Every structure is written in structure tokens, then in C-alpha cells.
């Protein structure tokens, strides 16, 4: 466990000045030397605490699926119930993947709120103890945000957040929730043990703790604290050499050049593979360096066992042989740690088309691994909305002809487009740190090319998260406000549909020493960008997109998919699939309040116009997720959108304009505009050329050229730094989402339980979902501490 205070200035653990801990102020800890170097009132350098706290004005929305659940048969309800239990059981892995203190903070909050008679009564007691209404809101919002992110780092942006209240004051708030009975003494003792174990790290904000990252740039429990980027690269080369996927692994460095690779599995130890592997790595200079790797199965073993227990319980309720085989292979994978078994499960999942209850589970997305290779736990169960899914089915039916519109040669596209299942889902449970609006999975390159994939649009997530609201949209011109709010949801639905199906679903990868690659070379096709003969470099045998492009892979791929959305949303036949028929306008520069007959061939649909404006605005807002101190981007999608903004700005001709002005509130503001008349010409040309380059470099496995291209548009210039200051001053908190809870009713029939869209409602949903105490989770956290604490 952690002992001592951690200075928020230098990060050292030592005696610090406890500046009036009884005061209900936003506090950070700082040590004597840092205090003496400062002005006596604050540690140098000062922190903008709005970045590291959650405002009480944060919107909390409800993910509603009651009507969809009630439409299921009894068997389908039982199937959904057990899958949701498996998803949420596995979600505790996210805590262990987030930060050393996250499992401890979770245990603290779960203990307090599970023993609270009533959250409203707890708030009343706090007020009796001297808390103001605002202070109660601050305490509740921190707790709700922690649950909503499954950790104390934002799932979207990877920035740490701490309580607004001082430690002493926040402790007093939590204690007010414990029962005032003769059992209070024992509960207070348990509380104190949990509190003492996590309070220091809960509040610590030295530079390295402020964001997730690798080495000196942040913390990551995918690695031991002594690992840096070079260690991640060496491990990636080793894993490729033995053809072992990194998805369900972690890397711990035990001594110089010596590593342990932990593999998630219910079974601890594997006689066939758990061994010491020597590895001679040839450095760029040509000299060989010797390393030793030990494989160790059994990471998260108790949690993996729980997952399998629920999957086993779901088996009798499977609707068809594919679901049965899928569950069986999941169980085998989570028991042994075999990614090949998970691929088998994924194959059956792909072939289980049009189920009433849809699900996927495992180590899926690699966004939060600083090296871009290891995956976070994710599990969801949802109900297919057949009415909305029909239009996605039409999109799939026309996908081949639409792929022909993309700006790269046919040689860089899959030989056969394996038509996926594309459905709109109403989410019942999403056990992970965040809930996306759409998904294209599985992420296994070989399955995507040879078997196929599935696309899902999460309908109730879209409706809950992307409502227009009453407030003016930041950074959007007054003349665009009405149209932006009217078509924001429609535009985003179109973008997500194209992004997932035709973005992530397109393109081919060429590996060395394969028939396909030899055919490409024999074709004498010239490189589309250089007009020289194609020579590679191609992907190494056993390598994947993620392992080859590493930390850049997620952002690069999201950028490619977003560009596909922009490029194809200009096609009327694509819009028609979503129910948006041709429009007429007075001119290509029509404002949100204008309408009459079109007089220009360059005019575009309102949905397309707002989609491009959404992207421009998103690129500007993306600056919030850039850290000037480290030069790092903290969120894959927002990095991608900033890159797209830079491409459009470079296109020139007045296509995109960012205007610094003074807002209605008298404060500095930025307004982003895009010339509607030039989107179909200047804009489409710029995105088309950029998209072609992205795809060619991806297909050929050309990391060097792809990285150079992407990084060129990632630069934050002095002008964009000035814009970032305004973006930061006007940033808005991301919405928190309250999910329903599935449980058995008195007669054993599965029922759905909903909660209010409030911080208290979000907390109550987790109290319903998990027990008050989890000794196995604490034991896993304790076991990790020797490796992950810095």
C-alpha cells in the first residue's frame, strides 16, 4: 500500500505541508522544498485544477433500454442477464488497467455507498456537519465520475481527476454515509484501512501522474513503472517473433533486459508455454542485444474465473449453434489465455447474423495502452433494433459499389467485401471505461480479411449523448447554430455508419512472403504516391496493424475512417440510405435560415454540410486533448480530428477559417466556419488526396512514411496553441452515462432496473451491480503494487 504524502510539484514521497486539511478547498499537497521555492501560498508551477476536477455542471444522462428488453422472450432475457453479468464482472479488470489506486478507490466508494441507508440521508448528514449544497454536489460528482470512468482517469482523454474537496473534508463526507449504529466502529475501521490505502494517490498530481502514458510522460499499469517506450518496442518485437498477441498481456520489467509478460487467464500457469525465452534483438545500429522474457499465465485469474462462470450460465439459453460455439470458445480463451480461442469465438460471432441479443466480450480496444498494442477489457450486451437496422442493411447491400468511390486503386482494396452484419443496438450493459457510439469488430486483421466483421451503431447511446441541448454550441457561428442543432444527430449517424462500415471495413494489408504480395509485385503497379515501382516494406510475418504501427495505430486508423465518412457523405446515394433525400438551396453559401431553389452545382446537402462543420469543430476541440508539457495526444479520435482540421486548413482557398473574436460573454472566443460552396471541390480534393496516402501507407505497412505524414499534420503551431488556450477556457465536461441493471426478480425472472439521470443514480447503479466488498480485487491490486507504483 502507499504510505506518505506525494508532492504535487516534484512528485517525491516525503513529509509535506498539510495546508489546512480541514478547510473545504481544492487542495494539492506540496513538500517543504517546493513550498520554499514558491511564493508561500501555492506550489510551483501552478496547476489549472479545472483540468483535473469534474465540474458539478456535468450532464448525467440515462441509457434507456426498458422497452427493448421487455420485447425479448424469456430465454433471450436469461441469455442477456448472464452475459451482462459476465461483462460487468470483467469490468473490474479496467480498474487494474487504469491506475494503481483505482481498485482501492473503487473498493472505498463501494464499501461506503453499499453501507449507506440512503444517499439523500447521507447528503443531509453532510449538510448537518457543515457542508454546503455545492460541496455535497462536488463530492457526489467525483464519486459518480469515478464509477462512470471505471477509474480516476477520464476514459476519453486519459487525464487524471481528483476530488474538489480537501482530503479531510472529502473523508468527512464519506464517513457521513456509514450507519450510526453499534456496528459503526467495525465499519469505520474498514473504511480507515481503505481510505489510508488510497488517499495519497487519489490526490497526487505530480507531472507523471496527471495523465496516462509511458515512462516519464505518464503512468500505465499495462507496464511496470520502470518501463519506457524502448521496453515496449523490444517486447513488441519479441512477441512478434513467437507470434503471440499482446492484446491480453502486460509487461513488467524485473531487472535490466529481463521481463515478465503476464497473460490474462483463469488458469494460473501453463506448462506448455510458461517458460523463460532468450531473445536476441538486433538494434538499428546492427548490434545484437540479449534479453530474457518469461511468460506467466494467470493475470486477473479470479476475475477471469467469474467471467467464465457467467458465460457458462448463459450456455443453456443460447439461441443457435453459433452462439453455443462462441460461448464455449470464449470460456476456453478466458481459461487458458489463448487469443486463438478468442478468434474462434469471434468467427462464430461474425457468423451469428441478426440475433435478437447481440454481444461481444474480451480484450478489445488498444486506445489506452500508450504503445497501442495491449487492449482494455470490454464487454457489451444489447438488443437489435430491427427497424433502424434495415437502413444499415441497405448500406451493406450497396457497400461494394460505394467502396469503388474511395480514392485508392483497386489493388489496395479487399478482393472480396465480406458483407458484415450491420445493426442498430439498444445497449443493456457496456462493461468498460467508456461507451462508444459505434463499433467495428473484431480487430483481428486476419479475420477481418478472411472471415469478415460486424458493425454496430449504438442507438440509445447516440440519442442519450448527442442531443443538441438549449445552449449555443461553442465555436460555431451564430448563423450556423440553428442548422447545426437541427442536423447534428442526423449528420453524426451518417458519419458513424460510413466510418464503421466503409471506413474500418475497407482496405487490404500486404504481408511479406505471401501470394497476394507477390501478385502485387508481379502486377508492376506503380506506387500511387511516388509513381515508382512498389518495393514494400510490407508487414512482417505474424505482425498486425497494431503491432506494426504501435502507438500511432489507433489515431491513424480513426483518422482514415473519419476521412471516409467526410468523403462519402457527399454522395447522395449514401445519404438516401439514411433517409436524406435531395434538397434545394438558394446558393452554396446558404445560411441556416435560407431555403429556395438551388442555383449552383456545388451545393451540398444540409446533412453533409453539418457533418463537415462538425469535423472542423471537433478538430478545434481536439486541442483540449493535447498536452503541451509532453507533446502527447491523449485521445485517439480527437487527435485524428485535429489532423483532419489541419489538412482542411492547408487546402486553403478560404475553405476553413478559424476566427479569433470576443464572445457574447466578453471573453476571447474562436469561431470556426467552412465555405459550403467549396466542400465538394476544394474540400473533397484535399481529403481524397490525404485519404489515399493514409490507405497506401497502411496497406504497404510503411510505418516510416505513414508516421511522417501523420505527424506533419499533428504539429500544434503557436497560432493553434493560442486557440488551445481559448478552447481550454471554454471546455465542456463530457456527459456521464447511467446504465440500467439486469437482475432476477422475486420469481427468478430477469428484470431490468433503471436509475435516475443524476450522480446519485449513477452511484446507485453500481451499488446494485456489485457487492460491498471484494477481497480478491484488493489482493490483485496489492500483488501489482510492487511493479506499478512509481
Amino acid at each position: 500500500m502507499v504510505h506518505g504524502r506525494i508532492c504535487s510539484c516534484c512528485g517525491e514521497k516525503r513529509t509535506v505541508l498539510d495546508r489546512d486539511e480541514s478547510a473545504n478547498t481544492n487542495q494539492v499537497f506540496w513538500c517543504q522544498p517546493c513550498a520554499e521555492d514558491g511564493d508561500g501560498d501555492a506550489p510551483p508551477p501552478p496547476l489549472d485544477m479545472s483540468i483535473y476536477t469534474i465540474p458539478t455542471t456535468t450532464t448525467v444522462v440515462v441509457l434507456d433500454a426498458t422497452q427493448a428488453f421487455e420485447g425479448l422472450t424469456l430465454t433471450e432475457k436469461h441469455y442477456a442477464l448472464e452475459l451482462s453479468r459476465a461483462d460487468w464482472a470483467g469490468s473490474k479488470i479496467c480498474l487494474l488497467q487504469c491506475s494503481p489506486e483505482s481498485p482501492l478507490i473503487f473498493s472505498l466508494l463501494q464499501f461506503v455507498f453499499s453501507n449507506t441507508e440512503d444517499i439523500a440521508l447521507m447528503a443531509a448528514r453532510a449538510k448537518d456537519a457543515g457542508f454546503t449544497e455545492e460541496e455535497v454536489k462536488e463530492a457526489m460528482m467525483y464519486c459518480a465520475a469515478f464509477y462512470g470512468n471505471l477509474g480516476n482517469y477520464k476514459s476519453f482523454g486519459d487525464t487524471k481527476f481528483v476530488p474538489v474537496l480537501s482530503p479531510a473534508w472529502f473523508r468527512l463526507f464519506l464517513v457521513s454515509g456509514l450507519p450510526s449504529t453499534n456496528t459503526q466502529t467495525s465499519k469505520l475501521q474498514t473504511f480507515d484501512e481503505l481510505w489510508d490505502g488510497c488517499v495519497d494517490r487519489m490526490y497526487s498530481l505530480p507531472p507523471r501522474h496527471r495523465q496516462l502514458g509511458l515512462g516519464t510522460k505518464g503512468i500505465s499499469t499495462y507496464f511496470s513503472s520502470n518501463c519506457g517506450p524502448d521496453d515496449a518496442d523490444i517486447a513488441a518485437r519479441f512477441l512478434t517473433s513467437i507470434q503471440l498477441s499482446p492484446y491480453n498481456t502486460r509487461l513488467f520489467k524485473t531487472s535490466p533486459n529481463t521481463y515478465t509478460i503476464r497473460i490474462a487467464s483463469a488458469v494460473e500457469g501453463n506448462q506448455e508455454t510458461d517458460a523463460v525465452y532468450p531473445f536476441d534483438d538486433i538494434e538499428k545500429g546492427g548490434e545484437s542485444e540479449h534479453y530474457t522474457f518469461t511468460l506467466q499465465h494467470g493475470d486477473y485469474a479470479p476475475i477471469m474465473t467469474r467471467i467464465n462462470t457467467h458465460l457458462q450460465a448463459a450456455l443453456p439459453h443460447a439461441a443457435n449453434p453459433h452462439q453455443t460455439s462462441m460461448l464455449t470458445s470464449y470460456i476456453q480463451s478466458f481459461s487458458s489465455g489463448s487469443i486463438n480461442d478468442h478468434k474462434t469465438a469471434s468467427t462464430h460471432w461474425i457468423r451469428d447474423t441478426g440475433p435478437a441479443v447481440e454481444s461481444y466480450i474480451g480484450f478489445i480496444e488498444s486506445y489506452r495502452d500508450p504503445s497501442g498494442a495491449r487492449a482494455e477489457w470490454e464487454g457489451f450486451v444489447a438488443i437489435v433494433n430491427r427497424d433502424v437496422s434495415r437502413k444499415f442493411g441497405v448500406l451493406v447491400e450497396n457497400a461494394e459499389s460505394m467502396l469503388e468511390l474511395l480514392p485508392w486503386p483497386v489493388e489496395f482494396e479487399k478482393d472480396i467485401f465480406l458483407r458484415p452484419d450491420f445493426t442498430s443496438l439498444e445497449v443493456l450493459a457496456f462493461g468498460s471505461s467508456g461507451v462508444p457510439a459505434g463499433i467495428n469488430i473484431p480487430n483481428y486483421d486476419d479475420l477481418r480479411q478472411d472471415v469478415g466483421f460486424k458493425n454496430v451503431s449504438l442507438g440509445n447511446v447516440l440519442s442519450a449523448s448527442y442531443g443538441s441541448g438549449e445552449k449555443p454550441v461553442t465555436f460555431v457561428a451564430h448563423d450556423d447554430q440553428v442548422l447545426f442543432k437541427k442536423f447534428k444527430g442526423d449528420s453524426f449517424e451518417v458519419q458513424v455508419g460510413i466510418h464503421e462500415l466503409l471506413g474500418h471495413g475497407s482496405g487490404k494489408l500486404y504481408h511479406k512472403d505471401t501470394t497476394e504480395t507477390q501478385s502485387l509485385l508481379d502486377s508492376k503497379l506503380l506506387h500511387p504516391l511516388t509513381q515508382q515501382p512498389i518495393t514494400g516494406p510490407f508487414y512482417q510475418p505474424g505482425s498486425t496493424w497494431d503491432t506494426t504501427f504501435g502507438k500511432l495505430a489507433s489515431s491513424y486508423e480513426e483518422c482514415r475512417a473519419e476521412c471516409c465518412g467526410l468523403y462519402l457523405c457527399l454522395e447522395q446515394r449514401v445519404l438516401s440510405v439514411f433517409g436524406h433525400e435531395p434538397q434545394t438551396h438558394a446558393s452554396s453559401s446558404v445560411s441556416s435560415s435560407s431555403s429556395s431553389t438551388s442555383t449552383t452545382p456545388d451545393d451540398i446537402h444540409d446533412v453533409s454540410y453539418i457533418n463537415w462543420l462538425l469535423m472542423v469543430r471537433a478538430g478545434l476541440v481536439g486541442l483540449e486533448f493535447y498536452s503541451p508539457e509532453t507533446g502527447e495526444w491523449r485521445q485517439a479520435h480527437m487527435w485524428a480530428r485535429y489532423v483532419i482540421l489541419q489538412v482542411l486548413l492547408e487546402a486553403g482557398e478560404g475553405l476553413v477559417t478559424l476566427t479569433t473574436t470576443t464572445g457574447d460573454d466578453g471573453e476571447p472566443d474562436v469561431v470556426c466556419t467552412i465555405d459550403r460552396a467549396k466542400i465538394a471541390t476544394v474540400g473533397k480534393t484535399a481529403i481524397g488526396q490525404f485519404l489515399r496516402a493514409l490507405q497506401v501507407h497502411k496497406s504497404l505497412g510503411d510505418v516510416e512514411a505513414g508516421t511522417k505524414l501523420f505527424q506533419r499534420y499533428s504539429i500544434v503551431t503557436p497560432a493553434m496553441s493560442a486557440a488551445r488556450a481559448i478552447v481550454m477556457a471554454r471546455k465542456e465536461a463530457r456527459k456521464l452515462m447511467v446504465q440500467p441493471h439486469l437482475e432476477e426478480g422475486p420469481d427468478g425472472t430477469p428484470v431490468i432496473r433503471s436509475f435516475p439521470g443524476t450522480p446519485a443514480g449513477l452511484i446507485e447503479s453500481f451499488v446494485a451491480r456489485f457487492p460491498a466488498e471484494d477481497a480478491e480485487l484488493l489482493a490483485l491490486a496489492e500483488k501489482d503494487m510492487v511493479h506499478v507504483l512509481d
Side-chain angles (χ1 to χ4, degrees), residues 550-572:
K551 63 182 294 185
L552 191 66
S554 293
S555 294
Y556 190 108
E557 175 60 13
E558 293 304 333
C559 189
R560 194 183 69 88
E562 292 283 49
C563 286
C564 288
L566 290 179
Y567 195 80
L568 293 177
C569 81
L570 298 174
E571 300 293 331
Q572 181 55 53

Side-chain angles (χ1 to χ4, degrees), residues 285-394:
E287 296 183 5
S288 179
E289 183 89 11
H290 182 72
Y291 299 91
T292 301
F293 288 87
T294 300
L295 299 189
Q296 185 182 92
H297 284 73
D299 208 8
Y300 318 123
I303 297 177
M304 303 302 290
T305 299
R306 297 175 193 176
I307 296 165
N308 277 352
T309 298
H310 296 304
L311 293 177
Q312 193 73 44
L315 271 170
H317 308 292
N320 55 57
H322 277 308
Q323 288 185 2
T324 300
S325 297
M326 174 188 74
L327 292 174
T328 300
S329 294
Y330 278 149
I331 292 168
Q332 292 171 347
S333 173
F334 299 150
S335 177
S336 68
S338 167
I339 290 297
N340 285 333
D341 284 336
H342 196 268
K343 286 185 176 182
T344 301
S346 298
T347 299
H348 288 291
W349 177 70
I350 294 166
R351 292 172 177 165
D352 180 28
T353 58
V357 178
E358 186 62 280
S359 67
Y360 196 61
I361 191 171
F363 296 88
I364 312 301
E365 302 289 357
S366 58
Y367 298 129
R368 302 196 91 179
D369 172 12
S371 71
R374 291 151 192 82
E376 185 180 37
W377 173 265
E378 178 181 302
F380 75 85
V381 56
I383 302 166
V384 176
N385 184 323
R386 299 198 184 280
D387 290 336
V388 179
S389 296
R390 288 191 186 96
K391 61 184 173 186
F392 291 136
V394 175

Side-chain angles (χ1 to χ4, degrees), residues 2 46 71 161 167 231 342 565 736 754:
V2 187
F161 58 94
D231 300 296
H342 196 268
L736 295 173
S754 299

Side-chain angles (χ1 to χ4, degrees), residues 96-118:
L96 293 158
Q97 292 177 320
C98 180
S99 67
E101 64 272 17
S102 282
L104 308 180
I105 299 173
F106 177 88
S107 298
L108 172 72
L109 298 184
Q110 198 66 14
F111 179 78
V112 168
F113 288 110
S114 296
N115 283 288
T116 298
E117 303 161 60
D118 181 81

Side-chain angles (χ1 to χ4, degrees), residues 602-623:
D602 294 330
D603 200 12
I604 61 173
H605 200 287
D606 286 337
V607 168
S608 303
Y609 172 59
I610 295 303
N611 193 36
W612 279 66
L613 183 56
L614 267 167
M615 188 61 67
V616 170
R617 179 185 180 274
L620 177 65
V621 173
L623 285 164

Side-chain angles (χ1 to χ4, degrees), residues 483-492 583 606-607 610:
L483 202 67
F484 191 95
K485 289 185 176 183
K486 180 178 179 180
F487 288 104
K488 176 184 177 183
D490 290 338
S491 297
F492 195 74
Q583 289 179 315
D606 286 337
V607 168
I610 295 303

Side-chain angles (χ1 to χ4, degrees), residues 365 367 392 395 402-403 406 408 417 422 436-441 443 448 453-457 491-507 554-569 574 578 611 615 635-638 640-641 644 691 698:
E365 302 289 357
Y367 298 129
F392 291 136
L395 188 65
M402 292 175 183
L403 286 171
L406 290 171
W408 53 73
F417 181 74
F422 194 172
I439 317 172
N440 178 288
I441 38 181
N443 289 323
R448 295 174 67 82
F453 52 89
K454 278 187 179 182
N455 289 277
V456 297
S457 174
S491 297
F492 195 74
E493 182 185 50
V494 171
Q495 179 71 10
V496 168
I498 303 171
H499 174 117
E500 299 297 345
L501 176 66
L502 305 174
H504 291 316
S506 62
S554 293
S555 294
Y556 190 108
E557 175 60 13
E558 293 304 333
C559 189
R560 194 183 69 88
E562 292 283 49
C563 286
C564 288
L566 290 179
Y567 195 80
L568 293 177
C569 81
V574 174
F578 291 88
N611 193 36
M615 188 61 67
Q635 213 291 320
H637 298 80
M638 301 311 286
R641 291 161 186 164
I644 292 172
L691 180 54
K698 178 181 179 182

